[in-house]
Structures are given as structure tokens and as C-alpha cells.
Amino acid sequence: MQQELSEFHSIFTGTKKDIESFMEMLDPVIHNASDDHERLYYHHIYEEEEQRLARLAELIPLIETFQAGKGGDFSPSNNTFNRLLQELNLEKFGLHNFVEHLDLALFQFKDAERQAKLSEMRGANHTSYQFVKEKLADINERFDTGYTDPHAHHDEHGDHLAEHSHAAPAAKAVIQKPKRSFTVGSLISK
Amino acid sequence: MQQELSEFHSIFTGTKKDIESFMEMLDPVIHNASDDHERLYYHHIYEEEEQRLARLAELIPLIETFQAGKGGDFSPSNNTFNRLLQELNLEKFGLHNFVEHLDLALFQFKDAERQAKLSEMRGANHTSYQFVKEKLADINERFDTGYTDPHAHHDEHGDHLAEHSHAAPAAKAVIQKPKRSFTVGSLISK
């Protein structure tokens, strides 16, 4: 587990920095929002990432506790270890949702500077998500925690994030013209 | 705690039904999406609620375990009780985020049928969020868990959801004309 702990530690300290960069990017967009819908949309994403930041502020020290050998046994009979696994399983979804927040932003922030920053974070966090997903599947099996991934069916046909990803990579997003613009009320007839 | 447990139980079984109704409402919208951005947007919200549904499928039986007196003491020295508090604190945010998902949907699904259903769910879940927030503040204080709400500052000037809420009630949403439509790429200059 020590090897995995050190990998998890670098992944979650890395994504923590990326959340902070993303929140900084959203802040002026929220303040300059042109209407209540736009403001709510970005404020909502901002808050979800802020909630994740608060959870990581507890998970990272917990990983460090185990790295220092002070977390107890790597065993389901150890409640602190169970808490670690629970939080890691939760933050796997946190990474997944963050990648989708970045994909949504890639559709909307089309300037070269933000496209480059978003694409860089998107790539790194998608790799982190894949890594955490695979390691946790392995760990949950190894410790027979009985954990089943409620999300797995979305990946039945491979990584659905990878499917989304080619919808909004930096290069394509710039030239991409959606069939129809996505406007407030454009779904009235749906 | 028994009184609060029964209130939490009815709140989380109620919101579970509402998630299922909301996911049913999103399903055809995802399938009829007119472009990748629109599809990703609704699929993303669908997945976040699906993740919450999976967490509630664990939380509700845990509440029932305590209702049956099989969860152990209501004490921070009881790890099962700590897990209950952790999950309740997490699902307080789940309720908060759900209310915002419903507000976003109220901006977009303008037909009377969906406006009525969304407004009904919005009202019920906003009340549930307020209740859970207040009860947990009280419980965390009573058991001196040292828990601090990373979200509280959003409520400094009162309930910011209430602020959002008058942006999209069923009645107003129908006649509401946003200053500017919220389109893909409308933020290029931001």
C-alpha cells in the first residue's frame, strides 16, 4: 500500500492545486455574469469544487497519517482504514466530476489562454481519475470490502469520459461549431 | 436523537424518490440533445444525482440501523456513529446541490408540466436542506465533533439558495426574459 499511498498523495495534492486554479478562473465569470441563469450555473460548479476542496483538506492529511505508519493496519477491521477507502472512493467521483466541469468550461471559455490551461488540467485529472479508478478496484477486491462501483455501467463501452473528451479538446473546441447554440429556453419543446 | 433519525429518514427517502423523478426527466433530454455540449451538460447532472442515489442507498439503511437501536451509542467514540454523521454532513451538500440542479432545470424546462413538478421538488428539497443544515449544526455542536461547515460563508448574508430561488420559481420563469441568452461561446470575451 505504501507505493499506492504515495501515488494517491501526489494525485490529490495535484488536483487540489487545479481546483484552486479553476475556482480563480470561475470567480470573475460569476461576478460578470449577464443574468441569473449564467450566474447560478457557474456559482453552482464553483461551490461543488469548493466542497471537494474541503473534503481533500481532510483526505490528504489522512493519507499522510497512513504514510507515517500512524493509521493502523491496512485491514477492513481497522475503522480508520475503512474511512480512508470510503473517502478515496468518494474522491474518485470527485475527479470524474471535475474532468466534466473542465470539459464544460472548454466548451465555453474559447480564448487560447484558458483553453490551454483547461486542457492541461483536463489531461492531468483524467489520467488521475483512470489511475484512482483502477487502483481502487484492485484495493477493494484485495481487501474484499464488498464495494461495488455504482458508476461502472457508464464505462461499459469503455471510458465515457474519453468519449466526451473528443467533444471538447482545446484544438477542436476553437473550430468546433455546435449544430445549434445551447440557449436558455432552447429546450422548451423537449 | 430518535426524533431526528426519523426526520432524517423521511427526508432522505423523500429526496431519493425525487432524484429518480428528476433522472427520468433528464433521460429523454440527454437522448435528444442537439449537440455534444448540451448532452454533456445534462449527462453530467444526471451522473451527479446517480452518485447521490448510490450514497443514499447506503445512508438510509444506516439510519435504520440506528433507529433499530443496533448502531451503538450516539457518541464520537462510536465509529459507526461517526460514519453516520460524516454521511449526513455529505448529504447535506447533496441536498444543496440537488436544489441548484432543480433551479438550473427550472431555467430550461419551461413547459407547465415540468415547471410544476420541478417547483414542487425544489420547494420540498430546499426545506429538507434547511432542516438538515440546522439539525446537523446542532448535533455537531452537541457532540463536539469539531466539524466546521466549509460552505457556511455562502450563507453569511442569509440563505443564498433562497436568493437563487426567486430567480426561477415556476410562475416567474415562464414570463422571465433573461437580459441576454446564455449560449455556447457567449463567454468568449469574459
Side-chain angles (χ1 to χ4, degrees), chain B residues 133-152:
Chain B
K133 195 173 90 174
E134 284 154 29
K135 284 293 177 188
L136 283 178
D138 172 49
I139 292 169
N140 284 312
E141 193 179 334
R142 202 188 322 162
F143 293 102
D144 191 24
T145 59
Y147 175 83
T148 54
D149 186 346
H151 207 75

Side-chain angles (χ1 to χ4, degrees), chain A residues 29 32-38 40-44 46-48 50-51 54-55 79 83 86-87 90 93 96-97 100-101 103-104 107-111 114 150-151 153-154 160 164 167 176 178-190, chain B residues 29 32-38 40-44 46-48 50-51 54-55 79 83 86-87 90 93 96-97 100-101 103-104 107-111 114 150-151 153-154 160 164 167 176 178-190:
Chain A
V29 177
N32 299 324
S34 58
D35 58 54
D36 292 331
H37 183 188
E38 192 178 304
L40 174 60
Y41 174 84
Y42 290 111
H43 188 258
H44 172 68
Y46 184 98
E47 286 186 322
E48 287 187 343
E50 184 178 52
Q51 291 161 19
R55 296 195 307 267
N79 283 301
R83 197 180 128 227
Q86 271 183 345
E87 295 192 12
L90 182 63
F93 293 118
H96 170 277
N97 298 343
E100 294 196 338
H101 288 160
D103 277 336
L104 287 166
F107 273 112
Q108 285 160 313
F109 305 151
K110 300 299 184 72
D111 54 287
R114 286 185 293 184
H151 206 75
H153 67 94
H154 286 289
H160 81 287
H164 286 322
Q176 191 175 45
K179 289 182 220 75
R180 185 175 121 197
S181 71
F182 179 27
T183 64
V184 172
S186 70
L187 303 165
I188 288 170
S189 61
K190 291 238 168 69
Chain B
V29 177
N32 299 325
S34 58
D35 58 54
D36 292 330
H37 183 188
E38 193 178 303
L40 173 60
Y41 174 83
Y42 289 111
H43 187 259
H44 172 69
Y46 184 98
E47 285 185 324
E48 287 187 343
E50 184 177 53
Q51 291 161 20
R55 296 196 305 267
N79 283 299
R83 196 179 130 229
Q86 271 183 345
E87 295 192 13
L90 182 64
F93 293 118
H96 170 277
N97 297 343
E100 293 195 338
H101 287 161
D103 276 336
L104 287 165
F107 273 113
Q108 284 161 314
F109 304 152
K110 302 297 183 73
D111 53 286
R114 286 186 294 183
H151 207 75
H153 66 94
H154 286 287
H160 80 288
H164 286 322
Q176 189 175 47
K179 289 181 221 75
R180 185 175 119 198
S181 71
F182 178 27
T183 64
V184 173
S186 69
L187 302 164
I188 288 171
S189 60
K190 291 238 169 68

Side-chain angles (χ1 to χ4, degrees), chain A residues 60-76:
Chain A
I60 292 167
L62 183 60
I63 293 172
E64 289 165 352
T65 303
F66 276 93
Q67 286 183 297
K70 297 175 180 168
D73 299 342
F74 297 125
S75 152

Side-chain angles (χ1 to χ4, degrees), chain A residues 14-15 42 77-78 86 98 103-104 155:
Chain A
T15 198
Y42 290 111
S77 62
N78 174 4
Q86 271 183 345
F98 183 44
D103 277 336
L104 287 166
D155 293 339

Side-chain angles (χ1 to χ4, degrees), chain A residues 163-176:
Chain A
E163 287 162 34
H164 286 322
S165 68
H166 57 64
K172 269 177 89 179
V174 178
I175 52 161
Q176 191 175 45

Side-chain angles (χ1 to χ4, degrees), chain A:
Chain A
M1 280 293 288
Q2 282 299 340
Q3 173 60 23
E4 285 139 335
L5 286 172
S6 115
E7 289 162 328
F8 285 139
H9 190 271
S10 80
I11 279 176
F12 290 112
T13 48
T15 198
K16 185 170 178 293
K17 288 198 190 69
D18 288 342
I19 299 171
E20 287 158 352
S21 305
F22 187 52
M23 286 169 76
E24 274 175 35
M25 194 185 287
L26 290 178
D27 193 54
V29 177
I30 294 165
H31 286 89
N32 299 324
S34 58
D35 58 54
D36 292 331
H37 183 188
E38 192 178 304
R39 187 174 307 104
L40 174 60
Y41 174 84
Y42 290 111
H43 188 258
H44 172 68
I45 290 175
Y46 184 98
E47 286 186 322
E48 287 187 343
E49 291 304 331
E50 184 178 52
Q51 291 161 19
R52 187 164 75 101
L53 205 52
R55 296 195 307 267
L56 290 177
E58 302 205 347
L59 173 60
I60 292 167
L62 183 60
I63 293 172
E64 289 165 352
T65 303
F66 276 93
Q67 286 183 297
K70 297 175 180 168
D73 299 342
F74 297 125
S75 152
S77 62
N78 174 4
N79 283 301
T80 313
F81 180 69
N82 290 334
R83 197 180 128 227
L84 176 69
L85 287 188
Q86 271 183 345
E87 295 192 12
L88 288 170
N89 283 315
L90 182 63
E91 297 320 319
K92 178 191 73 178
F93 293 118
L95 281 166
H96 170 277
N97 298 343
F98 183 44
V99 170
E100 294 196 338
H101 288 160
L102 294 171
D103 277 336
L104 287 166
L106 276 162
F107 273 112
Q108 285 160 313
F109 305 151
K110 300 299 184 72
D111 54 287
E113 191 187 333
R114 286 185 293 184
Q115 284 282 316
K117 181 62 182 169
L118 288 165
S119 299
E120 178 201 337
M121 295 195 290
R122 201 275 176 202
N125 285 275
H126 180 244
T127 303
S128 297
Y129 167 67
Q130 288 299 326
F131 178 88
V132 171
K133 194 174 91 175
E134 283 154 28
K135 284 293 177 187
L136 283 178
D138 172 48
I139 292 170
N140 284 311
E141 194 179 334
R142 201 189 322 161
F143 293 102
D144 191 23
T145 58
Y147 174 83
T148 55
D149 186 346
H151 206 75
H153 67 94
H154 286 289
D155 293 339
E156 271 164 13
H157 309 296
D159 171 19
H160 81 287
L161 283 184
E163 287 162 34
H164 286 322
S165 68
H166 57 64
K172 269 177 89 179
V174 178
I175 52 161
Q176 191 175 45
K177 287 253 176 300
K179 289 182 220 75
R180 185 175 121 197
S181 71
F182 179 27
T183 64
V184 172
S186 70
L187 303 165
I188 288 170
S189 61
K190 291 238 168 69

Side-chain angles (χ1 to χ4, degrees), chain B residues 46-110:
Chain B
Y46 184 98
E47 285 185 324
E48 287 187 343
E49 291 304 332
E50 184 177 53
Q51 291 161 20
R52 187 164 73 102
L53 204 53
R55 296 196 305 267
L56 290 177
E58 303 205 347
L59 172 60
I60 291 166
L62 183 59
I63 293 172
E64 289 165 353
T65 302
F66 277 93
Q67 286 183 297
K70 296 174 180 168
D73 300 339
F74 298 125
S75 151
S77 63
N78 174 6
N79 283 299
T80 312
F81 180 67
N82 290 335
R83 196 179 130 229
L84 176 68
L85 287 188
Q86 271 183 345
E87 295 192 13
L88 288 170
N89 283 316
L90 182 64
E91 298 319 319
K92 177 192 72 178
F93 293 118
L95 281 166
H96 170 277
N97 297 343
F98 184 45
V99 170
E100 293 195 338
H101 287 161
L102 294 171
D103 276 336
L104 287 165
L106 276 164
F107 273 113
Q108 284 161 314
F109 304 152
K110 302 297 183 73

